[in-house]
Amino acid sequence: MINQSGMADVYTDFQGLAKLKGAAKQNSKEAIKETARQFESVFIQMALKSMRSTTGKAGLMENNQTKLYRDMYDQQLALELGKTSKLGFGKMLERQLGGSPDDQKLTGKTLADYRREALPAVDRERASVARDVAGMVERMAAGAGTKVMAGAKAGRSGAFSSPQEFVDELWPHAQQVGEELGVDPKMILAQAALESGWGKAVMRAADGSHSHNLFGIKADRNWEGRSIATSTLEYENGAPVRTRAAFRAYDSYADSFRDYVQFLKANPRYTQALRNAENPERYIAGLQKAGYATDPHYARKVMSIYRGNAAFEGLDQA
């Protein structure tokens, strides 16, 4: 897109850049002003990119296409902000380029001089801006509360990056539950891994609040805490059916582990499964038979994780 002055409204527009380059060769004041504005837009885009990098990672709905549109949006946003920005970078560059006769007397530089000599200084300025923005975002995040980043013990709300991280952070909780129920803690983690997709598919409310529900326990009429209504896959007569249900929500993963214990102990239908707690295969089969899950292959799927996942290698038995 070319504006009325013939300059580039988008610095990735080759026709606009060609005109800007032509005007720059003539040391045009208009070209100097436009060059400064484009550089200021670059600085703003770097700031946006730095802020993006400090936020949470990709969600379930994000892919390469959504990233492309997001980057295009940020690029155009930076250009629009550059037109009205009061940061001062554009004015500073314009003065360096000799945007007025007085400035040219002070600097003694033409646009050609700037192109030869000033780029290293611009690179340093860009790096400084990026550091300042990163520091600002870091301080904002600290002010909002660093508990989110403190891991599972403090109520971690971010997705786990890998099965190994999932196991490493939740293993102490699984050991406590295993000791209380008499179940191998690896079995507890295997069940949590299946229910939560290794911590990457933990349910969230419409407002983004985290449920920390690792075991897929629903909010029945006996539940007095928070709940989250969401879509879920159930099985009716062996066939999968998509439906909505209310699930329990906790303040932390530790609370989810504690409620798992209380839920099993408070429901008489799980008595037989708990009697077989020392045998992982019979324990999970007992939970399935008692109605813990409607998936006819639930026990087999949990056992597959329990027996075959590399993240469990080297863990001590309860």
Side-chain angles (χ1 to χ4, degrees), residues 205-226:
D207 63 0
S209 59
H210 208 291
S211 71
H212 296 98
N213 190 330
L214 289 169
F215 297 95
I217 301 178
K218 292 180 180 177
D220 54 24
R221 59 186 178 184
N222 297 320
W223 176 247
E224 298 179 353
R226 292 189 302 116

Side-chain angles (χ1 to χ4, degrees), residues 21-259:
K21 184 177 180 180
K25 288 181 178 179
Q26 300 174 11
N27 215 30
S28 164
K29 291 181 180 179
E30 187 178 8
I32 290 173
K33 185 174 182 179
E34 181 66 13
T35 299
R37 184 179 73 82
Q38 295 287 0
F39 269 110
E40 184 157 14
S41 296
V42 170
F43 294 154
I44 294 173
Q45 188 176 358
M46 289 180 60
L48 288 172
K49 185 175 181 181
S50 296
M51 287 187 283
R52 291 281 192 195
S53 68
T54 64
T55 60
K57 298 300 180 183
L60 292 175
M61 301 301 293
E62 187 164 341
N63 52 43
N64 290 336
Q65 188 174 22
T66 61
K67 291 179 181 178
L68 173 63
Y69 286 130
R70 184 193 66 194
D71 292 343
M72 291 173 62
Y73 171 79
D74 286 351
Q75 188 178 76
Q76 194 62 40
L77 179 61
L79 285 163
E80 293 300 321
L81 290 175
K83 295 178 182 179
T84 58
S85 172
K86 296 182 180 180
L87 295 175
F89 299 123
K91 293 293 184 182
M92 177 190 69
L93 288 171
E94 191 175 347
R95 286 195 300 270
Q96 274 192 311
L97 290 167
S100 69
D102 292 337
D103 290 334
Q104 204 162 27
K105 289 176 183 178
L106 290 174
T107 62
K109 291 184 179 181
T110 66
L111 183 58
D113 294 328
Y114 173 80
R115 291 167 61 188
R116 287 194 304 269
E117 303 172 8
L119 285 178
V122 172
D123 288 337
R124 291 194 296 272
E125 189 68 30
R126 290 170 62 184
S128 176
V129 170
R131 288 194 299 271
D132 290 344
V133 170
M136 177 186 68
V137 172
E138 185 176 352
R139 290 191 295 272
M140 289 172 62
T146 56
K147 291 183 180 180
V148 172
M149 303 300 294
K153 293 182 180 180
R156 171 190 178 127
S157 296
F160 293 92
S161 62
S162 66
Q164 190 62 60
E165 184 182 28
F166 179 87
V167 170
D168 291 343
E169 290 204 21
L170 299 182
W171 176 243
H173 300 300
Q175 286 181 304
Q176 293 176 5
V177 171
E179 183 176 353
E180 188 165 353
L181 295 179
V183 179
D184 183 351
K186 288 199 300 183
M187 170 54 64
I188 305 298
L189 281 185
Q191 188 178 3
L194 178 65
E195 290 282 358
S196 69
W198 294 98
K200 293 184 178 181
V202 180
M203 293 162 285
R204 291 179 180 267
D207 63 0
S209 59
H210 208 291
S211 71
H212 296 98
N213 190 330
L214 289 169
F215 297 95
I217 301 178
K218 292 180 180 177
D220 54 24
R221 59 186 178 184
N222 297 320
W223 176 247
E224 298 179 353
R226 292 189 302 116
S227 63
I228 289 178
T230 186
S231 175
T232 182
L233 190 66
E234 301 289 350
Y235 286 79
E236 296 180 4
N237 299 320
V241 177
R242 179 65 62 178
T243 185
R244 285 185 68 82
F247 291 84
R248 300 183 181 188
Y250 312 99
D251 292 332
S252 68
Y253 287 132
D255 290 341
S256 179
F257 277 95
R258 284 191 290 268
D259 188 57

